[in-house]
Amino acid sequence: MTVFKAFFKVLRNYKVSFIIYMSISIGVVFILSGLGEGSDKNYSAVSHGLIVVDNDDSEVSRELVTFLDGVNEIKKGDFTDDQIIDLLYYTKISNYLVIPQGFGDAFLSGNMDTTNMIDSTKDAGSRMGYLVEAEIESFLNLFRNYIIGGYSTSEAAGFAREAIMDHSSVEMADDGKEKSATIFIVFIVLPYGLLSMLFSAILPVILRFNTEEINKRTGISSLPNIKKQTYISLATAVSSLMVLTALIVTGSVISKEAFTERWWLVLIDLVTLGLTVVMLIVALSNFNIKPSFVAGLTNIIGLSFCFLGGIFVPLEYLGNGAKTIGRFLPTYWYAEAIEKIKQGGGLMDISNCLLIQLMFGIMVMAIGLAIGKYNVKKAE
């Protein structure tokens, strides 16, 4: 048990890196879960700044100004030409509108081209000015139709305003795309935290136990080497279980889902990946890597596995070359299993993804153990 206790004493030296990667993982999960939530489907018309000069001052022109002031913001006051140019340039206003004399009489007489009578100065490179002109045209067309229908000028203007205001706030139609449940958005990025925390905390501890100095000390002790390796393996398993538990609890709290059928399937997928990562760590511990190199190795493996394995970038967006490389990584099959669960798949549907992950771990661990055995014989 001395080796077991010593493992956790050494592990405490890496608590800072553990906390850092845990914080990064939780931060990434929060960001991505927020991005994945359904956006607001309400659309409201945008209000624009306007300068309106009413040279007609008729009942019709006043109703038009009232409408424009209701859906936009009319700037009050007297402005010079230079001031108007500056306001347009800095987009403080979208239009400078001048309603000419005779506008109201022409409108009531049935002139269908009264919209073009209004002098509208705007920035030709901006769409805002064109939107205001479209609002004016829509209002005048409705206004005219209500007058033709027998309503008075004030009644027709009121009905036209009400109709346009009702349509200025609409609900966007569903785009037909299925929104991902939060559990899938959260758990798809947890492998980054799993890889980072296990590599940054557990791998350097195992490497320190495998240094020449420690091996010489344990070599002359009464503790058999097989027992030493058993204690290290047990401590590694316990540490990995703690990391997995922390990630599972974090993911379940953020996604607000636990103990459902798909939660259990996602959990099995994550545990399988965790076991694979542990086997990868065991393999790498036999390569005589210096503990000081672990930080760089953590970033290399964590980022490459996540980018090429469909963790940070969805599988459907990966290029053919990236997918070809990704198929050799366990994170690819973890993401593939998540996708199948998302589509309603069961344990049998993801079993091949789980087996491929485990086969990767077993193969890499076998290679690592073989190299470790060779190094031991070479040292003897």
Side-chain angles (χ1 to χ4, degrees), residues 301-378:
I301 292 181
L303 294 175
S304 61
F305 273 42
C306 290
F307 275 111
L308 296 173
I311 302 303
F312 290 154
V313 181
L315 294 175
E316 60 265 27
Y317 296 138
L318 291 176
N320 292 330
K323 279 187 177 181
T324 301
I325 299 172
R327 286 189 177 93
F328 292 94
L329 303 176
T331 45
Y332 179 93
W333 298 103
Y334 172 87
E336 184 73 19
I338 291 288
E339 188 64 30
K340 289 183 178 181
I341 297 169
K342 188 193 302 185
Q343 295 172 1
L347 184 59
M348 292 303 298
D349 297 303
I350 66 170
S351 58
N352 63 322
C353 298
L354 304 178
L355 287 173
I356 293 173
Q357 291 181 59
L358 291 175
M359 289 300 296
F360 173 89
I362 292 170
M363 179 186 69
V364 172
M365 187 173 67
I367 294 172
L369 292 175
I371 291 175
K373 189 175 182 180
Y374 170 78
N375 289 334
V376 171
K377 286 185 177 180
K378 187 178 179 182

Side-chain angles (χ1 to χ4, degrees), residues 35-166:
L35 291 174
E37 290 176 354
S39 60
D40 188 2
K41 297 172 74 174
N42 291 327
Y43 165 80
S44 297
V46 178
S47 177
H48 305 289
L50 303 175
I51 293 178
V52 180
V53 178
D54 185 5
N55 291 329
D56 187 44
D57 196 26
S58 63
E59 187 178 6
V60 172
S61 66
R62 287 194 296 271
E63 292 291 357
L64 175 58
V65 173
T66 301
F67 162 72
L68 290 172
D69 198 26
V71 295
N72 298 286
E73 179 188 354
I74 295 180
K75 305 289 185 182
K76 308 295 183 183
D78 297 326
F79 300 91
T80 64
D81 290 344
D82 289 338
Q83 288 175 325
I84 292 170
I85 292 172
D86 288 340
L87 289 170
L88 284 168
Y89 180 79
Y90 292 108
T91 66
K92 299 297 182 181
I93 63 170
S94 60
N95 299 71
Y96 171 59
L97 302 170
V98 179
I99 303 174
Q101 287 184 348
F103 172 80
D105 292 336
F107 180 82
L108 293 174
S109 66
N111 188 337
M112 304 297 292
D113 200 32
T114 48
T115 303
N116 293 327
M117 290 178 63
I118 300 172
D119 182 17
S120 175
T121 303
K122 60 184 180 296
D123 180 0
S126 171
R127 63 182 177 84
M128 295 188 296
Y130 296 99
L131 290 174
V132 170
E133 291 176 354
E135 288 175 351
I136 294 173
E137 185 176 3
S138 298
F139 173 75
L140 292 178
N141 287 337
L142 284 170
F143 192 2
R144 180 180 296 107
N145 290 336
Y146 280 116
I147 288 177
I148 294 172
Y151 292 98
S152 66
T153 302
S154 60
E155 288 176 333
F159 286 133
R161 278 196 304 271
E162 184 179 351
I164 291 180
M165 295 298 287
D166 284 345

